[in-house]
Amino acid sequence: MNNESISSNSQTDWQRLDAMSDEDIDLSDCPEITPEMFAKAVVRRGLPVAKNKVQLTLRIDSDVLEWFKSQGRGYQTQINTLLRAYMEAHK
């Protein structure tokens, strides 16, 4: 772990954190990860960009775009997935 602070105002006790074991970490407020969660997971980082994707300008209603953005990271991938599902259903 890099103990160098990116901010001179850091109040993190790095020595205490480094000394903690896994059993010392309180996970009581974290939900249990289920197999269903893994089945729905989407890998968004670390994979090369598919070579068949094309960058374009697309006009979308602002409320639609804001809703997708409010869903968090990967909203463009979600839009692409929905468009692909629509395409497959209408072949």
Side-chain angles (χ1 to χ4, degrees):
M1 175 184 279
N2 184 355
N3 291 345
E4 292 182 25
S5 173
I6 59 172
S7 169
S8 60
N9 298 327
S10 176
Q11 297 178 2
T12 303
D13 185 351
W14 292 110
Q15 289 179 337
R16 182 180 65 83
L17 290 175
D18 285 340
M20 289 177 73
S21 67
D22 288 348
E23 294 77 26
D24 295 331
I25 301 171
D26 177 15
L27 300 173
S28 62
D29 61 342
C30 298
E32 184 85 21
I33 298 176
T34 65
E36 291 79 19
M37 290 175 170
F38 276 105
K40 292 180 181 178
V42 176
V43 176
R44 297 185 179 148
R45 295 177 119 184
L47 296 177
V49 176
K51 291 186 177 24
N52 61 347
K53 290 195 175 182
V54 178
Q55 184 174 354
L56 70 116
T57 300
L58 178 66
R59 295 188 181 274
I60 299 175
D61 293 337
S62 60
D63 59 331
V64 173
L65 180 59
E66 289 307 314
W67 183 85
F68 273 102
K69 284 184 172 183
S70 74
Q71 304 304 300
R73 292 184 64 145
Y75 71 92
Q76 293 175 336
T77 301
Q78 291 176 342
I79 292 170
N80 188 71
T81 301
L82 288 169
L83 290 172
R84 175 170 298 286
Y86 184 88
M87 178 188 77
E88 295 294 333
H90 290 85
K91 280 187 175 180

